[in-house]
């Protein structure tokens, strides 16, 4: 009869390779230095380490847009990027866009237009809309832009819907979200 040897975990799996890395970035104007496991996403760094829970975790794999934040002015799904990749970056979350006493124009428009129901998707919708309007201003065409050579994009409702299609709202507040963004963009084209 052969006796089975119990294999210690470190022998079975090899030595732990987990190492924390130092990363320094600016969030909503405040500089933070964190020691993080290299596998921590920016979303988890914001929520679990900096306690900025305005940014939401919906799917955690890039499908819902609830985790959208701005990095150096561009929108990004924070669940799809590792925190340690953002050394020196400027991150803006929903908490950094406005305050209850001084709402960002998009926050005010969402309230005015009733652009939410449960509100879970709203921080991501608003951060995404901020990034999207900057893309339009920069003349970036979308899939529905008819003249991709035009230096000035007309932000029709079709353009808004297409450009915001990465942000899912399970309450289906889409018509009011589009109206809020249209108000801020100053567009009247439907
Ligand atoms: S939580 Fe990041 S896209 Fe859904
Ligand atoms: S308001 Fe509920 S998910 Fe969008």
């Amino acid at each position: 009869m052969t006796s089975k040897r119990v294999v210690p975990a470190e022998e079975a799996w090899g030595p732990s390779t987990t190492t924390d890395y130092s990363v320094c970035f600016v969030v909503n104007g405040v500089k933070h230095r964190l020691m993080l496991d290299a596998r921590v996403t920016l979303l988890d760094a914001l929520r679990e380490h900096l306690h900025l829970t305005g940014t939401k975790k919906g799917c955690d794999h890039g499908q819902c847009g609830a985790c959208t934040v701005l990095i150096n002015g561009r929108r990004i799904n924070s669940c799809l990027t590792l925190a340690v990749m953002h050394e020196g970056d400027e991150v803006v979350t929903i908490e950094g866009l406005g305050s209850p006493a001084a709402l960002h124009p998009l926050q005010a428009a969402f309230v005015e237009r009733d652009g939410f129901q449960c509100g879970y998707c709203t921080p991501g919708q608003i951060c995404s809309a901020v990034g999207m309007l900057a893309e339009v201003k920069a003349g970036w065409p979308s899939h529905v832009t008819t003249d991709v050579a035009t230096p000035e994009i007309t932000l029709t409702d079709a353009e808004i819907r297409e450009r915001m299609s990465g942000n899912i709202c399970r309450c289906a507040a889409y018509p009011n979200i589009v109206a809020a963004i249209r108000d801020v963009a100053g567009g009247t084209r439907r």
Side-chain angles (χ1 to χ4, degrees):
M1 186 174 131
T2 53
S3 65
K4 282 192 182 162
R5 188 173 75 91
V6 177
V7 180
E10 58 275 18
E11 205 177 302
W13 297 97
S16 168
T17 54
T18 301
T19 309
D20 282 353
Y21 291 85
S22 167
V23 62
C24 184
F25 44 63
V26 176
V27 183
N28 302 331
V30 179
K31 193 171 176 181
H32 295 276
R33 179 167 295 284
L34 299 172
M35 291 300 294
L36 296 172
D37 186 296
R39 297 165 293 184
V40 172
T41 63
L42 179 62
L43 173 60
D44 285 341
L46 293 170
R47 289 182 56 86
E48 309 298 332
H49 294 263
L50 298 179
H51 309 296
L52 291 167
T53 53
T55 306
K56 301 299 186 228
K57 182 182 285 189
C59 63
D60 208 18
H61 54 268
Q63 296 193 338
C64 72
C67 64
T68 307
V69 298
L70 297 159
I71 295 184
N72 303 329
R74 289 179 63 177
R75 53 183 172 164
I76 189 170
N77 288 339
S78 61
C79 71
L80 287 187
T81 188
L82 299 172
V84 294
M85 295 165 64
H86 294 287
E87 178 69 29
D89 281 350
E90 298 262 354
V91 183
V92 174
T93 69
I94 191 69
E95 291 93 340
L97 282 180
S99 67
L103 295 178
H104 183 281
L106 273 161
Q107 291 171 322
F110 269 64
V111 172
E112 174 86 10
R113 287 289 195 168
D114 222 5
F116 49 85
Q117 289 179 40
C118 77
Y120 197 82
C121 73
T122 313
Q125 299 277 2
I126 291 176
C127 285
S128 188
V130 171
M132 182 274 279
L133 291 176
E135 291 161 17
V136 170
K137 198 170 173 190
W140 295 7
S142 80
H143 186 63
V144 300
T145 305
T146 44
D147 178 7
V148 295
T150 182
E152 204 161 310
I153 308 284
T154 302
L155 199 59
T156 62
D157 284 6
E159 284 277 4
I160 295 173
R161 287 196 193 96
E162 166 62 22
R163 289 168 187 270
M164 293 296 294
S165 60
N167 290 81
I168 307 301
C169 175
R170 65 185 169 185
C171 299
Y174 298 113
N176 297 4
I177 292 170
V178 170
I181 295 171
R182 190 198 311 130
D183 285 353
V184 172
T188 52
R189 294 275 301 268
R190 303 273 172 122

